[in-house]
Amino acid sequence: MPRYHYNVYDGVDLLDRRGVELPDLTYARREAIRYAGALLEDGAQKDNLSNEWRMEVVNENGLLLFRLDFLVTSSPATEHHKT
């Protein structure tokens, strides 16, 4: 089975050196969405979620297969509520 690595970049690089074996790219995408959701929820609860966040999924050779991007953009209507 192929091994997929889930690297996270949010101001601090969290490189997945171990990876996980999954049957195919479809499973790898599902796992990326699940894992990203868990990390984003954890970061939001700790109030340390940066404005830009991404996860890059690479194969065992380091080839980038896809990435998930998360960007927080404030509306002009909320400018006076900056924290």
Side-chain angles (χ1 to χ4, degrees):
M1 261 195 275
R3 182 172 296 273
Y4 300 90
H5 300 267
Y6 297 84
N7 300 322
V8 175
Y9 304 92
D10 68 346
V12 176
D13 298 352
L14 176 61
L15 302 179
D16 176 13
R17 301 201 190 288
R18 185 173 177 204
V20 62
E21 288 185 349
L22 295 167
D24 59 31
L25 195 56
T26 299
Y27 281 89
R29 286 179 189 258
R30 288 179 189 158
E31 177 60 16
I33 293 166
R34 187 206 61 76
Y35 183 39
L39 291 174
L40 289 167
E41 180 178 5
D42 185 53
Q45 288 176 358
K46 293 178 181 172
D47 239 5
N48 66 354
L49 189 60
S50 66
N51 287 343
E52 292 187 40
W53 186 99
R54 80 179 188 275
M55 175 184 288
E56 293 182 350
V57 179
V58 300
N59 69 9
E60 60 273 4
N61 297 317
L63 177 67
L64 177 63
L65 302 172
F66 62 92
R67 71 185 245 180
L68 304 176
D69 294 288
F70 184 79
L71 176 66
V72 177
T73 305
S74 296
S75 163
T78 63
E79 286 298 311
H80 67 283
H81 291 289
K82 286 185 179 178
T83 57

